[in-house]
Amino acid sequence: MTYCVGILVRDGLVMLADTRTNAGLDNIATYRKLHLYQTEGERVIAIATAGNLAVSQSVLNVMTEGLENPETGKIETIHTIPSMFKVAQFVGRAIREVYRIHGKSMEQQAASFDVTMLLAGQVKGGRLRLFMVYSAGNFIEATTDTPYLQIGEHKYGKPILDRAVTADTSISEALKLGLISMDSTLRSNLGVGMPIDIAVIRRDGLKFEVSHRIDDNDAYFAGLREHWSAALRDAHQSIPNPPYGET
Amino acid sequence: MTYCVGILVRDGLVMLADTRTNAGLDNIATYRKLHLYQTEGERVIAIATAGNLAVSQSVLNVMTEGLENPETGKIETIHTIPSMFKVAQFVGRAIREVYRIHGKSMEQQAASFDVTMLLAGQVKGGRLRLFMVYSAGNFIEATTDTPYLQIGEHKYGKPILDRAVTADTSISEALKLGLISMDSTLRSNLGVGMPIDIAVIRRDGLKFEVSHRIDDNDAYFAGLREHWSAALRDAHQSIPNPPYGET
Protein backbone atom coordinates (compact mmCIF):
# COMPACT_ATOMS: atom_id res chain seq x y z
CA MET A 1 0.00 0.00 0.00
CA THR A 2 0.84 3.65 -0.09
CA TYR A 3 -0.43 6.86 1.40
CA CYS A 4 0.10 10.21 -0.29
CA VAL A 5 -1.75 13.45 0.28
CA GLY A 6 -1.59 16.86 -1.32
CA ILE A 7 -3.14 19.94 0.31
CA LEU A 8 -3.63 23.14 -1.69
CA VAL A 9 -4.22 26.26 0.40
CA ARG A 10 -4.28 29.97 -0.35
CA ASP A 11 -0.59 30.50 0.31
CA GLY A 12 0.74 27.33 -1.22
CA LEU A 13 0.78 23.58 -1.28
CA VAL A 14 2.15 20.65 0.70
CA MET A 15 2.66 17.11 -0.52
CA LEU A 16 3.47 14.09 1.66
CA ALA A 17 4.21 10.51 0.69
CA ASP A 18 5.27 7.40 2.54
CA THR A 19 7.95 5.13 1.06
CA ARG A 20 6.81 1.57 1.67
CA THR A 21 6.20 -0.79 -1.19
CA ASN A 22 5.15 -4.36 -0.77
CA ALA A 23 4.49 -7.43 -2.84
CA GLY A 24 2.76 -9.37 -0.11
CA LEU A 25 3.50 -8.89 3.58
CA ASP A 26 6.76 -10.84 3.32
CA ASN A 27 8.33 -8.64 0.66
CA ILE A 28 8.53 -5.00 1.64
CA ALA A 29 10.96 -2.36 0.50
CA THR A 30 11.56 1.38 0.58
CA TYR A 31 10.97 3.34 -2.63
CA ARG A 32 10.63 7.06 -3.06
CA LYS A 33 7.09 7.89 -4.21
CA LEU A 34 7.40 11.68 -4.17
CA HIS A 35 9.20 12.95 -7.26
CA LEU A 36 10.25 16.56 -7.61
CA TYR A 37 11.03 18.54 -10.78
CA GLN A 38 12.28 22.07 -10.40
CA THR A 39 13.69 24.77 -12.65
CA GLU A 40 13.86 27.59 -10.14
CA GLY A 41 11.88 30.65 -11.20
CA GLU A 42 10.37 28.77 -14.14
CA ARG A 43 8.58 25.64 -12.94
CA VAL A 44 8.13 23.52 -9.82
CA ILE A 45 6.31 20.19 -10.05
CA ALA A 46 5.75 17.39 -7.51
CA ILE A 47 4.35 13.98 -8.42
CA ALA A 48 3.32 11.34 -5.87
CA THR A 49 2.54 7.83 -7.05
CA ALA A 50 0.44 4.93 -5.82
CA GLY A 51 -0.30 1.53 -7.30
CA ASN A 52 1.84 -0.93 -9.22
CA LEU A 53 5.50 0.10 -8.88
CA ALA A 54 6.48 -1.21 -12.33
CA VAL A 55 3.75 0.94 -13.86
CA SER A 56 4.53 4.12 -11.93
CA GLN A 57 8.28 3.83 -12.58
CA SER A 58 7.63 3.37 -16.30
CA VAL A 59 5.30 6.37 -16.37
CA LEU A 60 7.92 8.57 -14.68
CA ASN A 61 10.55 7.38 -17.16
CA VAL A 62 8.30 8.13 -20.12
CA MET A 63 7.73 11.62 -18.73
CA THR A 64 11.42 12.41 -18.36
CA GLU A 65 12.63 10.61 -21.53
CA GLY A 66 9.93 12.30 -23.60
CA LEU A 67 6.68 11.51 -25.38
CA GLU A 68 5.42 12.75 -28.71
CA ASN A 69 2.62 15.29 -28.57
CA PRO A 70 -0.01 13.88 -30.97
CA GLU A 71 -1.13 17.38 -32.00
CA THR A 72 2.24 18.98 -32.69
CA GLY A 73 4.35 15.90 -33.40
CA LYS A 74 7.01 17.29 -31.06
CA ILE A 75 8.68 15.33 -28.25
CA GLU A 76 7.71 16.76 -24.85
CA THR A 77 9.06 16.11 -21.37
CA ILE A 78 7.87 17.20 -17.95
CA HIS A 79 10.52 19.91 -18.09
CA THR A 80 9.07 21.60 -21.19
CA ILE A 81 5.25 21.53 -20.99
CA PRO A 82 3.95 25.11 -20.84
CA SER A 83 1.10 24.84 -18.26
CA MET A 84 -0.01 22.68 -15.34
CA PHE A 85 -3.20 21.67 -17.14
CA LYS A 86 -1.11 20.46 -20.05
CA VAL A 87 1.20 18.65 -17.62
CA ALA A 88 -1.85 16.81 -16.24
CA GLN A 89 -2.85 15.82 -19.77
CA PHE A 90 0.76 14.78 -20.41
CA VAL A 91 0.84 12.56 -17.30
CA GLY A 92 -2.40 10.98 -18.54
CA ARG A 93 -0.87 10.35 -21.97
CA ALA A 94 2.24 8.84 -20.35
CA ILE A 95 0.04 6.47 -18.34
CA ARG A 96 -1.84 5.45 -21.50
CA GLU A 97 1.46 4.92 -23.30
CA VAL A 98 2.62 2.53 -20.57
CA TYR A 99 -0.75 0.78 -20.75
CA ARG A 100 -0.31 0.44 -24.51
CA ILE A 101 3.04 -1.29 -23.99
CA HIS A 102 2.38 -3.40 -20.87
CA GLY A 103 -1.38 -3.37 -20.19
CA LYS A 104 -2.48 -6.42 -22.18
CA SER A 105 0.40 -8.60 -20.99
CA MET A 106 -0.22 -7.59 -17.39
CA GLU A 107 -3.87 -8.55 -17.73
CA GLN A 108 -2.83 -11.93 -19.18
CA GLN A 109 -0.82 -12.48 -15.98
CA ALA A 110 -3.73 -11.25 -13.83
CA ALA A 111 -1.65 -8.26 -12.69
CA SER A 112 -3.85 -5.21 -12.49
CA PHE A 113 -2.79 -2.07 -14.33
CA ASP A 114 -3.19 0.02 -11.24
CA VAL A 115 -1.70 3.48 -10.90
CA THR A 116 -2.87 6.79 -9.41
CA MET A 117 -0.86 9.97 -9.23
CA LEU A 118 -1.03 13.28 -7.43
CA LEU A 119 0.37 16.05 -9.58
CA ALA A 120 1.00 19.45 -8.08
CA GLY A 121 2.90 22.53 -9.04
CA GLN A 122 3.14 25.77 -10.89
CA VAL A 123 4.57 26.86 -14.22
CA LYS A 124 5.58 30.52 -14.53
CA GLY A 125 2.63 32.61 -15.65
CA GLY A 126 0.09 30.01 -14.49
CA ARG A 127 -1.63 29.10 -11.24
CA LEU A 128 -0.47 26.70 -8.52
CA ARG A 129 -2.62 23.61 -9.08
CA LEU A 130 -3.18 20.13 -7.64
CA PHE A 131 -4.51 17.20 -9.69
CA MET A 132 -5.21 13.52 -9.20
CA VAL A 133 -4.60 11.43 -12.34
CA TYR A 134 -6.30 8.04 -12.64
CA SER A 135 -5.06 4.89 -14.37
CA ALA A 136 -7.24 5.74 -17.39
CA GLY A 137 -5.24 8.95 -17.76
CA ASN A 138 -8.19 11.18 -16.87
CA PHE A 139 -7.93 13.50 -13.87
CA ILE A 140 -9.65 15.74 -11.34
CA GLU A 141 -8.45 18.92 -9.68
CA ALA A 142 -8.58 20.12 -6.08
CA THR A 143 -10.73 23.22 -5.52
CA THR A 144 -11.32 25.64 -2.64
CA ASP A 145 -14.31 23.46 -1.60
CA THR A 146 -12.17 20.33 -1.42
CA PRO A 147 -8.61 21.55 -1.10
CA TYR A 148 -6.92 18.19 -0.59
CA LEU A 149 -6.50 14.99 -2.59
CA GLN A 150 -5.33 11.58 -1.38
CA ILE A 151 -4.14 8.41 -3.10
CA GLY A 152 -3.54 4.93 -1.74
CA GLU A 153 -4.79 4.01 1.72
CA HIS A 154 -6.79 7.19 2.22
CA LYS A 155 -9.44 6.32 4.77
CA TYR A 156 -7.58 6.30 8.10
CA GLY A 157 -6.15 9.75 7.50
CA LYS A 158 -9.25 11.38 6.05
CA PRO A 159 -11.27 12.34 9.18
CA ILE A 160 -8.72 14.89 10.40
CA LEU A 161 -8.49 16.46 6.94
CA ASP A 162 -12.29 16.58 6.60
CA ARG A 163 -12.53 18.42 9.88
CA ALA A 164 -9.62 20.79 9.77
CA VAL A 165 -8.41 21.62 6.26
CA THR A 166 -9.86 24.59 4.41
CA ALA A 167 -8.49 26.75 1.62
CA ASP A 168 -7.60 29.34 4.30
CA THR A 169 -5.44 26.96 6.33
CA SER A 170 -1.85 28.22 6.54
CA ILE A 171 0.95 26.27 4.87
CA SER A 172 2.46 25.33 8.25
CA GLU A 173 -0.89 24.16 9.53
CA ALA A 174 -1.52 22.19 6.32
CA LEU A 175 1.83 20.44 6.72
CA LYS A 176 1.04 19.66 10.36
CA LEU A 177 -2.38 18.28 9.40
CA GLY A 178 -0.83 16.24 6.63
CA LEU A 179 1.61 14.76 9.14
CA ILE A 180 -1.22 13.98 11.59
CA SER A 181 -3.14 12.32 8.75
CA MET A 182 0.00 10.32 7.85
CA ASP A 183 0.46 9.33 11.50
CA SER A 184 -3.09 7.91 11.70
CA THR A 185 -2.43 5.90 8.55
CA LEU A 186 0.97 4.64 9.73
CA ARG A 187 -0.62 3.40 12.94
CA SER A 188 -3.45 1.51 11.26
CA ASN A 189 -1.92 0.08 8.06
CA LEU A 190 1.37 -1.83 8.01
CA GLY A 191 1.54 -1.29 4.24
CA VAL A 192 2.29 2.39 4.86
CA GLY A 193 5.71 3.03 6.34
CA MET A 194 8.45 5.46 7.29
CA PRO A 195 10.38 7.42 6.13
CA ILE A 196 8.02 10.15 4.92
CA ASP A 197 8.92 12.51 2.09
CA ILE A 198 7.50 16.01 2.23
CA ALA A 199 7.55 18.95 -0.14
CA VAL A 200 6.26 22.50 0.25
CA ILE A 201 5.65 24.99 -2.55
CA ARG A 202 4.73 28.58 -1.75
CA ARG A 203 2.36 30.14 -4.29
CA ASP A 204 4.33 32.01 -6.97
CA GLY A 205 7.60 30.92 -5.31
CA LEU A 206 8.44 28.69 -8.30
CA LYS A 207 10.75 26.52 -6.18
CA PHE A 208 10.51 23.93 -3.42
CA GLU A 209 10.58 25.85 -0.18
CA VAL A 210 10.88 22.51 1.64
CA SER A 211 12.00 19.16 0.28
CA HIS A 212 12.73 16.88 3.18
CA ARG A 213 12.75 13.25 4.26
CA ILE A 214 11.38 12.55 7.75
CA ASP A 215 12.96 9.39 9.14
CA ASP A 216 12.58 7.43 12.35
CA ASN A 217 14.97 9.76 14.17
CA ASP A 218 13.10 12.95 13.35
CA ALA A 219 12.48 14.72 16.67
CA TYR A 220 9.70 17.00 15.41
CA PHE A 221 7.62 14.16 13.94
CA ALA A 222 8.13 12.03 17.06
CA GLY A 223 6.98 14.98 19.17
CA LEU A 224 3.97 15.60 16.93
CA ARG A 225 2.90 11.96 17.27
CA GLU A 226 3.21 12.08 21.06
CA HIS A 227 1.54 15.45 21.37
CA TRP A 228 -1.34 14.38 19.15
CA SER A 229 -1.90 11.14 21.08
CA ALA A 230 -1.90 13.00 24.39
CA ALA A 231 -4.23 15.68 23.03
CA LEU A 232 -6.69 13.07 21.77
CA ARG A 233 -6.66 11.36 25.16
CA ASP A 234 -7.31 14.67 26.91
CA ALA A 235 -10.00 15.53 24.37
CA HIS A 236 -12.12 12.45 24.86
CA GLN A 237 -11.58 12.46 28.59
CA SER A 238 -12.91 16.02 28.76
CA ILE A 239 -16.21 15.00 27.12
CA PRO A 240 -18.89 14.39 29.77
CA ASN A 241 -20.01 10.80 30.32
CA PRO A 242 -22.97 9.60 28.24
CA PRO A 243 -26.30 10.16 30.00
CA TYR A 244 -27.91 6.98 28.68
CA GLY A 245 -28.94 4.53 31.43
CA GLU A 246 -26.73 4.23 34.48
CA THR A 247 -23.38 3.95 32.69
CA MET B 1 -22.60 0.45 3.88
CA THR B 2 -22.74 -0.03 7.60
CA TYR B 3 -20.63 0.70 10.62
CA CYS B 4 -20.88 -1.35 13.79
CA VAL B 5 -18.38 -1.62 16.62
CA GLY B 6 -18.24 -3.67 19.80
CA ILE B 7 -15.84 -2.84 22.64
CA LEU B 8 -15.21 -5.34 25.42
CA VAL B 9 -13.64 -3.91 28.57
CA ARG B 10 -13.05 -5.21 32.07
CA ASP B 11 -16.37 -3.98 33.43
CA GLY B 12 -18.56 -4.74 30.46
CA LEU B 13 -19.29 -4.21 26.82
CA VAL B 14 -20.72 -1.61 24.48
CA MET B 15 -22.11 -2.16 21.01
CA LEU B 16 -22.99 0.55 18.50
CA ALA B 17 -24.56 0.30 15.06
CA ASP B 18 -25.77 2.76 12.47
CA THR B 19 -29.07 2.15 10.65
CA ARG B 20 -28.50 3.08 7.03
CA THR B 21 -28.96 0.53 4.28
CA ASN B 22 -28.52 1.30 0.65
CA ALA B 23 -28.86 -0.38 -2.71
CA GLY B 24 -26.98 2.25 -4.66
CA LEU B 25 -26.84 5.89 -3.63
CA ASP B 26 -30.38 6.53 -4.87
CA ASN B 27 -32.03 3.92 -2.70
CA ILE B 28 -31.35 4.37 0.98
CA ALA B 29 -33.45 3.30 3.93
CA THR B 30 -33.32 2.91 7.70
CA TYR B 31 -33.07 -0.61 9.14
CA ARG B 32 -32.17 -1.66 12.62
CA LYS B 33 -28.85 -3.53 12.57
CA LEU B 34 -28.44 -4.00 16.32
CA HIS B 35 -30.57 -6.88 17.59
CA LEU B 36 -30.98 -7.58 21.27
CA TYR B 37 -32.02 -10.80 22.99
CA GLN B 38 -32.50 -10.76 26.75
CA THR B 39 -33.84 -13.08 29.40
CA GLU B 40 -32.97 -11.04 32.46
CA GLY B 41 -30.75 -12.89 34.90
CA GLU B 42 -30.22 -15.74 32.44
CA ARG B 43 -28.82 -14.41 29.14
CA VAL B 44 -28.14 -11.16 27.34
CA ILE B 45 -27.06 -11.20 23.70
CA ALA B 46 -26.50 -8.42 21.16
CA ILE B 47 -25.96 -9.04 17.44
CA ALA B 48 -24.92 -6.36 14.95
CA THR B 49 -25.06 -7.13 11.24
CA ALA B 50 -23.33 -5.86 8.12
CA GLY B 51 -23.55 -6.94 4.50
CA ASN B 52 -26.45 -8.03 2.33
CA LEU B 53 -29.71 -7.19 4.14
CA ALA B 54 -31.61 -10.16 2.70
CA VAL B 55 -28.92 -12.47 4.04
CA SER B 56 -28.68 -10.92 7.51
CA GLN B 57 -32.47 -10.82 7.94
CA SER B 58 -32.70 -14.50 6.94
CA VAL B 59 -29.93 -15.45 9.36
CA LEU B 60 -31.68 -13.67 12.23
CA ASN B 61 -34.95 -15.41 11.35
CA VAL B 62 -33.27 -18.81 11.28
CA MET B 63 -31.80 -18.09 14.71
CA THR B 64 -35.14 -17.18 16.29
CA GLU B 65 -37.26 -19.77 14.43
CA GLY B 66 -34.81 -22.53 15.29
CA LEU B 67 -32.19 -24.73 13.64
CA GLU B 68 -31.44 -28.39 14.21
CA ASN B 69 -28.26 -29.15 16.10
CA PRO B 70 -26.49 -31.74 13.91
CA GLU B 71 -24.99 -33.47 16.96
CA THR B 72 -28.08 -33.77 19.16
CA GLY B 73 -30.81 -33.61 16.52
CA LYS B 74 -32.63 -31.06 18.69
CA ILE B 75 -34.02 -27.73 17.45
CA GLU B 76 -32.12 -24.83 19.02
CA THR B 77 -32.80 -21.10 19.06
CA ILE B 78 -30.73 -18.16 20.25
CA HIS B 79 -32.82 -18.22 23.42
CA THR B 80 -31.77 -21.73 24.41
CA ILE B 81 -28.08 -22.24 23.55
CA PRO B 82 -26.14 -22.88 26.77
CA SER B 83 -22.91 -20.85 26.21
CA MET B 84 -21.63 -17.89 24.18
CA PHE B 85 -19.12 -20.07 22.36
CA LYS B 86 -21.98 -22.35 21.29
CA VAL B 87 -24.00 -19.27 20.29
CA ALA B 88 -21.12 -18.20 18.03
CA GLN B 89 -21.08 -21.67 16.46
CA PHE B 90 -24.86 -21.47 16.12
CA VAL B 91 -24.70 -18.09 14.34
CA GLY B 92 -22.15 -19.64 11.98
CA ARG B 93 -24.44 -22.62 11.30
CA ALA B 94 -27.37 -20.24 10.68
CA ILE B 95 -25.26 -18.32 8.12
CA ARG B 96 -24.30 -21.60 6.40
CA GLU B 97 -27.96 -22.67 6.38
CA VAL B 98 -28.93 -19.43 4.59
CA TYR B 99 -26.05 -19.97 2.18
CA ARG B 100 -27.34 -23.50 1.50
CA ILE B 101 -30.77 -22.10 0.58
CA HIS B 102 -29.87 -18.86 -1.25
CA GLY B 103 -26.12 -18.89 -1.92
CA LYS B 104 -26.04 -20.58 -5.34
CA SER B 105 -28.96 -18.56 -6.73
CA MET B 106 -27.43 -15.34 -5.48
CA GLU B 107 -24.15 -16.19 -7.20
CA GLN B 108 -26.06 -16.89 -10.43
CA GLN B 109 -27.43 -13.34 -10.19
CA ALA B 110 -23.96 -11.96 -9.37
CA ALA B 111 -25.19 -10.93 -5.90
CA SER B 112 -22.45 -11.60 -3.39
CA PHE B 113 -23.26 -13.64 -0.31
CA ASP B 114 -21.86 -11.06 1.98
CA VAL B 115 -22.59 -10.97 5.71
CA THR B 116 -20.55 -10.24 8.83
CA MET B 117 -21.86 -10.16 12.37
CA LEU B 118 -20.70 -8.97 15.74
CA LEU B 119 -22.00 -11.21 18.49
CA ALA B 120 -21.67 -10.15 22.09
CA GLY B 121 -23.14 -11.21 25.38
CA GLN B 122 -23.15 -13.45 28.37
CA VAL B 123 -25.03 -16.58 29.33
CA LYS B 124 -25.39 -17.25 33.07
CA GLY B 125 -22.41 -19.20 34.36
CA GLY B 126 -20.22 -18.15 31.44
CA ARG B 127 -18.03 -15.16 30.55
CA LEU B 128 -19.02 -11.96 28.78
CA ARG B 129 -17.63 -12.43 25.26
CA LEU B 130 -17.43 -10.60 21.93
CA PHE B 131 -17.12 -12.39 18.58
CA MET B 132 -17.02 -11.48 14.90
CA VAL B 133 -18.64 -14.10 12.67
CA TYR B 134 -17.70 -14.19 8.96
CA SER B 135 -19.81 -15.18 5.98
CA ALA B 136 -18.20 -18.63 6.00
CA GLY B 137 -19.61 -19.11 9.51
CA ASN B 138 -16.19 -19.12 11.15
CA PHE B 139 -15.38 -16.53 13.78
CA ILE B 140 -12.80 -14.70 15.88
CA GLU B 141 -13.02 -13.35 19.42
CA ALA B 142 -11.94 -10.06 20.97
CA THR B 143 -9.18 -10.37 23.57
CA THR B 144 -7.56 -8.06 26.12
CA ASP B 145 -4.88 -7.27 23.51
CA THR B 146 -7.47 -6.22 20.92
CA PRO B 147 -10.60 -5.44 22.89
CA TYR B 148 -12.73 -4.14 20.04
CA LEU B 149 -14.13 -5.52 16.80
CA GLN B 150 -15.64 -3.62 13.88
CA ILE B 151 -17.71 -4.59 10.85
CA GLY B 152 -18.66 -2.64 7.73
CA GLU B 153 -16.90 0.64 6.97
CA HIS B 154 -14.31 0.28 9.70
CA LYS B 155 -11.37 2.41 8.58
CA TYR B 156 -12.47 5.98 9.31
CA GLY B 157 -13.35 5.13 12.91
CA LYS B 158 -10.35 2.93 13.67
CA PRO B 159 -7.59 5.45 14.53
CA ILE B 160 -9.31 6.72 17.69
CA LEU B 161 -9.96 3.15 18.88
CA ASP B 162 -6.37 2.11 18.15
CA ARG B 163 -5.10 4.98 20.26
CA ALA B 164 -7.50 5.04 23.16
CA VAL B 165 -9.23 1.73 23.83
CA THR B 166 -7.69 -0.78 26.21
CA ALA B 167 -9.19 -3.56 28.27
CA ASP B 168 -9.02 -1.20 31.29
CA THR B 169 -11.11 1.53 29.66
CA SER B 170 -14.29 2.21 31.66
CA ILE B 171 -17.67 1.39 30.16
CA SER B 172 -18.59 5.09 29.94
CA GLU B 173 -15.32 5.89 28.23
CA ALA B 174 -15.75 2.95 25.84
CA LEU B 175 -19.20 4.22 24.89
CA LYS B 176 -17.83 7.74 24.36
CA LEU B 177 -14.99 6.39 22.20
CA GLY B 178 -17.45 4.28 20.24
CA LEU B 179 -19.54 7.40 19.58
CA ILE B 180 -16.44 9.38 18.51
CA SER B 181 -15.49 6.51 16.18
CA MET B 182 -19.04 6.52 14.81
CA ASP B 183 -18.93 10.30 14.35
CA SER B 184 -15.75 10.08 12.24
CA THR B 185 -17.40 7.42 10.08
CA LEU B 186 -20.65 9.37 9.69
CA ARG B 187 -18.69 12.39 8.50
CA SER B 188 -16.67 10.53 5.89
CA ASN B 189 -19.05 7.92 4.45
CA LEU B 190 -22.58 8.74 3.29
CA GLY B 191 -23.42 5.04 3.43
CA VAL B 192 -23.34 5.23 7.23
CA GLY B 193 -26.22 7.19 8.73
CA MET B 194 -28.20 8.24 11.78
CA PRO B 195 -29.92 7.17 13.95
CA ILE B 196 -27.40 5.16 15.98
CA ASP B 197 -28.43 2.21 18.15
CA ILE B 198 -26.39 1.56 21.26
CA ALA B 199 -26.39 -1.17 23.86
CA VAL B 200 -24.43 -1.58 27.07
CA ILE B 201 -23.96 -4.78 29.05
CA ARG B 202 -22.25 -4.72 32.44
CA ARG B 203 -20.22 -7.84 33.18
CA ASP B 204 -22.34 -10.36 35.12
CA GLY B 205 -25.33 -7.98 34.91
CA LEU B 206 -27.17 -10.41 32.60
CA LYS B 207 -29.34 -7.61 31.21
CA PHE B 208 -29.01 -4.58 28.95
CA GLU B 209 -28.06 -1.70 31.20
CA VAL B 210 -28.58 0.62 28.22
CA SER B 211 -30.54 0.01 25.05
CA HIS B 212 -31.05 3.30 23.32
CA ARG B 213 -31.51 4.90 19.91
CA ILE B 214 -29.61 8.15 19.34
CA ASP B 215 -31.43 10.25 16.75
CA ASP B 216 -30.73 13.61 15.12
CA ASN B 217 -32.24 15.46 18.09
CA ASP B 218 -30.01 13.83 20.69
CA ALA B 219 -28.41 16.69 22.66
CA TYR B 220 -25.59 14.61 24.15
CA PHE B 221 -24.40 13.24 20.80
CA ALA B 222 -24.65 16.68 19.17
CA GLY B 223 -22.57 18.08 22.04
CA LEU B 224 -20.02 15.26 21.76
CA ARG B 225 -19.59 15.94 18.04
CA GLU B 226 -19.07 19.65 18.62
CA HIS B 227 -16.81 19.15 21.61
CA TRP B 228 -14.69 16.64 19.69
CA SER B 229 -14.35 18.89 16.65
CA ALA B 230 -13.32 21.83 18.82
CA ALA B 231 -10.87 19.69 20.79
CA LEU B 232 -9.24 18.39 17.59
CA ARG B 233 -8.88 21.94 16.32
CA ASP B 234 -7.29 23.04 19.58
CA ALA B 235 -5.08 19.95 19.57
CA HIS B 236 -3.50 20.49 16.19
CA GLN B 237 -3.22 24.22 16.74
CA SER B 238 -1.27 23.61 19.93
CA ILE B 239 1.37 21.55 18.08
CA PRO B 240 4.40 23.71 17.22
CA ASN B 241 4.94 24.57 13.56
CA PRO B 242 7.13 22.19 11.55
CA PRO B 243 10.80 23.22 11.59
CA TYR B 244 11.48 22.11 8.01
CA GLY B 245 12.61 24.94 5.72
CA GLU B 246 11.12 28.38 6.25
CA THR B 247 7.43 27.32 6.54
Side-chain angles (χ1 to χ4, degrees):
Chain A
M1 283 301 296
T2 288
Y3 179 50
C4 308
V5 57
I7 305 174
L8 179 68
V9 293
R10 200 185 48 238
D11 296 339
L13 178 142
V14 302
M15 189 96 105
L16 299 91
D18 85 310
T19 52
R20 179 154 302 169
T21 66
N22 65 298
L25 274 176
D26 54 352
N27 185 2
I28 68 171
T30 300
Y31 276 91
R32 189 171 178 90
K33 300 172 194 173
L34 182 60
H35 304 273
L36 308 180
Y37 307 90
Q38 171 180 306
T39 310
E40 201 176 323
E42 201 273 312
R43 71 177 54 219
V44 54
I45 296 173
I47 294 179
T49 63
N52 184 299
L53 183 64
V55 172
S56 62
Q57 286 189 341
S58 290
V59 172
L60 292 169
N61 276 299
V62 166
M63 290 193 292
T64 47
E65 296 238 324
L67 184 64
E68 189 181 306
N69 182 324
E71 287 169 25
T72 63
K74 283 189 183 159
I75 298 293
E76 295 174 325
T77 75
I78 193 158
H79 304 290
T80 63
I81 316 262
S83 78
M84 282 308 294
F85 180 70
K86 288 199 165 68
V87 173
Q89 291 179 314
F90 175 71
V91 173
R93 284 209 309 281
I95 291 173
R96 287 196 282 259
E97 173 67 7
V98 174
Y99 183 79
R100 188 183 66 75
I101 299 166
H102 296 294
K104 283 241 171 74
S105 305
M106 288 177 67
E107 281 160 16
Q108 282 166 1
Q109 304 300 325
S112 77
F113 186 86
D114 167 27
V115 65
T116 331
M117 297 195 171
L118 294 181
L119 164 69
Q122 187 170 17
V123 175
K124 194 176 176 182
R127 282 184 294 122
L128 179 63
R129 300 175 80 168
L130 170 62
F131 297 92
M132 170 155 52
V133 189
Y134 299 103
S135 53
N138 57 336
F139 49 86
I140 59 169
E141 183 174 8
T143 65
T144 49
D145 284 333
T146 303
Y148 69 88
L149 293 171
Q150 306 167 290
I151 56 176
E153 174 60 276
H154 65 282
K155 291 189 178 183
Y156 297 117
K158 189 163 182 283
I160 182 63
L161 302 177
D162 278 343
R163 286 168 199 275
V165 172
T166 73
D168 294 327
T169 302
S170 73
I171 296 178
S172 279
E173 204 63 30
L175 181 53
K176 248 197 276 175
L177 290 165
L179 289 171
I180 292 169
S181 173
M182 183 63 77
D183 175 40
S184 295
T185 312
L186 289 169
R187 278 174 193 267
S188 292
N189 189 324
L190 279 184
V192 178
M194 299 281 286
I196 307 303
D197 289 315
I198 63 172
V200 173
I201 304 171
R202 190 170 294 276
R203 194 176 291 270
D204 299 327
L206 292 173
K207 63 165 186 173
F208 288 105
E209 191 162 297
V210 176
S211 157
H212 182 71
R213 171 161 286 193
I214 296 174
D215 62 22
D216 284 327
N217 302 318
D218 188 284
Y220 175 77
F221 189 55
L224 174 139
R225 301 183 85 169
E226 263 175 45
H227 188 117
W228 183 246
S229 278
L232 288 190
R233 256 193 317 276
D234 293 348
H236 73 77
Q237 280 164 3
S238 72
I239 296 176
N241 279 343
Y244 317 116
E246 319 148 9
T247 58
Chain B
M1 283 303 294
T2 289
Y3 180 50
C4 308
V5 56
I7 306 173
L8 178 68
V9 292
R10 198 186 49 239
D11 296 339
L13 179 142
V14 302
M15 189 97 104
L16 299 91
D18 85 311
T19 52
R20 179 153 302 167
T21 65
N22 65 296
L25 273 176
D26 55 351
N27 185 2
I28 67 170
T30 300
Y31 277 90
R32 190 172 177 90
K33 300 172 193 170
L34 182 60
H35 304 273
L36 309 180
Y37 307 88
Q38 171 179 305
T39 309
E40 199 176 323
E42 201 273 313
R43 72 176 54 218
V44 56
I45 296 172
I47 293 179
T49 63
N52 184 298
L53 183 64
V55 172
S56 62
Q57 286 189 341
S58 290
V59 172
L60 292 169
N61 277 299
V62 165
M63 289 193 291
T64 48
E65 296 238 324
L67 184 65
E68 189 180 305
N69 183 324
E71 286 170 25
T72 63
K74 282 188 183 160
I75 298 293
E76 295 175 325
T77 76
I78 193 159
H79 304 291
T80 62
I81 315 261
S83 78
M84 282 307 295
F85 180 70
K86 287 197 165 68
V87 173
Q89 292 179 312
F90 175 71
V91 172
R93 284 209 310 280
I95 291 174
R96 287 197 281 259
E97 172 67 6
V98 173
Y99 183 79
R100 189 183 64 77
I101 299 167
H102 296 294
K104 283 243 170 74
S105 305
M106 288 178 66
E107 281 160 15
Q108 281 165 3
Q109 304 299 324
S112 78
F113 185 85
D114 166 26
V115 65
T116 331
M117 297 194 171
L118 294 181
L119 163 69
Q122 188 170 17
V123 174
K124 194 177 176 179
R127 282 184 294 122
L128 179 64
R129 299 174 81 167
L130 169 63
F131 297 92
M132 170 154 54
V133 189
Y134 298 104
S135 53
N138 57 335
F139 50 85
I140 59 169
E141 182 173 9
T143 63
T144 49
D145 284 332
T146 302
Y148 70 87
L149 293 171
Q150 306 168 289
I151 55 176
E153 174 60 276
H154 64 281
K155 292 189 178 182
Y156 297 117
K158 188 162 181 284
I160 181 63
L161 302 177
D162 277 344
R163 286 169 198 276
V165 172
T166 73
D168 292 328
T169 302
S170 73
I171 295 178
S172 279
E173 205 62 32
L175 181 52
K176 249 196 277 176
L177 291 165
L179 289 170
I180 291 168
S181 172
M182 182 63 77
D183 175 40
S184 295
T185 313
L186 288 169
R187 278 175 193 266
S188 292
N189 188 326
L190 280 183
V192 178
M194 300 278 289
I196 307 304
D197 290 314
I198 62 171
V200 174
I201 304 171
R202 190 170 292 276
R203 195 176 290 269
D204 299 326
L206 292 172
K207 64 165 186 173
F208 287 105
E209 191 163 295
V210 176
S211 156
H212 182 70
R213 171 161 286 192
I214 296 174
D215 61 22
D216 283 327
N217 303 316
D218 188 285
Y220 174 76
F221 189 55
L224 174 139
R225 300 183 84 170
E226 264 175 47
H227 189 116
W228 184 247
S229 278
L232 287 191
R233 256 193 318 276
D234 293 349
H236 73 76
Q237 281 164 4
S238 72
I239 295 176
N241 280 343
Y244 317 116
E246 319 148 10
T247 58

